[in-house]
Amino acid sequence: MRGPYSEYAAPPIYVYPDRPKPGVHFSRTELVQLAVAILALSGAFTVLYVRSSPRAFAANPVTFLAIFFPASLLAVGTGVGLHEIMHKVVAQRYGLWAEFRYNPRGLLFAFVLAAAIGFLYGAPGATWISGNVTREQNGRISAAGPLTNLAIATVLILVSFALYSRISSAFGEFLLSVYIVQAATVNAFLAGFNMIPVMPLDGAKVWTWNKAVYAAVAVTAIALIGITFFGALL
């Protein structure tokens, strides 16, 4: 329910059912904001590519963007999009209200950093959860995002290993690196970053819930980061 608007009143209060309907449900607002966050962060990633290869971009900007924006979209869509969706899925399985909300300032900050110093950091948004959440449930919900990133990174690394020996052209190796290896690297890095045990990151809540699970996820993330990093050097 929402009260009348007033410049002096407290923010409106929204009342949701105690237990939402079973299953996974997305509101129109959530889908729009998730799409905006993914597209905006993909644009910021593309700015990084442009900044790292200005001559290639200047020579043929259309082709450059046609290659690197979809690559950025793949990395962000799997790394951020599926990460947040899995938070939501697990939360809703516990009967909680859960929806993604973007952070416009965080997305703008990502663009500024990418363009100014060639480094990408931003807070695209988060999955907001409401309800009576136990420590275990909160830990499981928080672990779902990084675990999804690790699963995606593992699959993409295996795919890259399987395809590498079959590629016969330098351009094919280039596309493999830009699309699959970069997406695997982003997913592995996001899993590792989110496992830092500092609020509001996922790692703090997983650490509070189960330190053994925390250690397993963190060590796996570090291992996959190492594989993607050293694999890129070979």
Side-chain angles (χ1 to χ4, degrees), residues 141-177:
I141 293 167
S142 300
L147 285 173
T148 300
N149 293 134
L150 294 180
I152 294 170
T154 300
V155 170
L156 293 177
I157 289 171
L158 294 175
V159 169
S160 68
F161 286 160
L163 293 179
Y164 185 78
S165 60
R166 301 182 182 181
I167 294 176
S168 58
S169 67
F171 184 70
E173 292 181 3
F174 166 74
L175 289 181
L176 175 68
S177 175

Side-chain angles (χ1 to χ4, degrees), residues 101-226:
R101 291 294 182 267
Y102 63 20
N103 181 358
R105 291 184 180 179
L107 294 171
L108 179 61
F109 187 60
F111 269 100
V112 172
L113 281 182
I117 64 175
F119 177 77
L120 184 60
Y121 175 79
T127 299
W128 293 87
I129 297 169
S130 177
N132 186 19
V133 187
T134 67
R135 178 179 297 182
E136 180 180 358
Q137 290 174 343
N138 197 31
R140 291 177 181 273
I141 293 167
S142 300
L147 285 173
T148 300
N149 293 134
L150 294 180
I152 294 170
T154 300
V155 170
L156 293 177
I157 289 171
L158 294 175
V159 169
S160 68
F161 286 160
L163 293 179
Y164 185 78
S165 60
R166 301 182 182 181
I167 294 176
S168 58
S169 67
F171 184 70
E173 292 181 3
F174 166 74
L175 289 181
L176 175 68
S177 175
V178 169
Y179 282 85
I180 297 180
V181 176
Q182 289 299 317
T185 302
V186 168
N187 274 276
F189 176 80
L190 285 175
F193 177 78
N194 276 283
M195 290 308 294
I196 297 174
V198 176
M199 287 294 290
L201 298 177
D202 297 325
K205 290 163 275 188
V206 177
W207 174 268
T208 301
W209 161 54
N210 191 313
K211 293 176 176 55
V213 172
Y214 174 88
V217 177
V219 169
T220 304
I222 293 172
L224 290 179
I225 291 172

Side-chain angles (χ1 to χ4, degrees), residues 20-71:
K21 295 179 181 180
V24 180
H25 305 278
F26 294 87
S27 70
R28 181 178 301 178
T29 298
E30 178 180 25
L31 291 175
V32 169
Q33 294 200 12
L34 183 60
V36 169
I38 291 174
L39 290 172
L41 203 56
S42 299
F45 259 101
T46 306
V47 171
L48 281 183
Y49 284 119
V50 172
R51 199 176 188 281
S52 64
S53 304
R55 293 183 179 178
F57 173 74
N60 197 331
V62 174
T63 301
F64 189 96
L65 295 177
I67 293 175
F68 287 100
F69 181 74

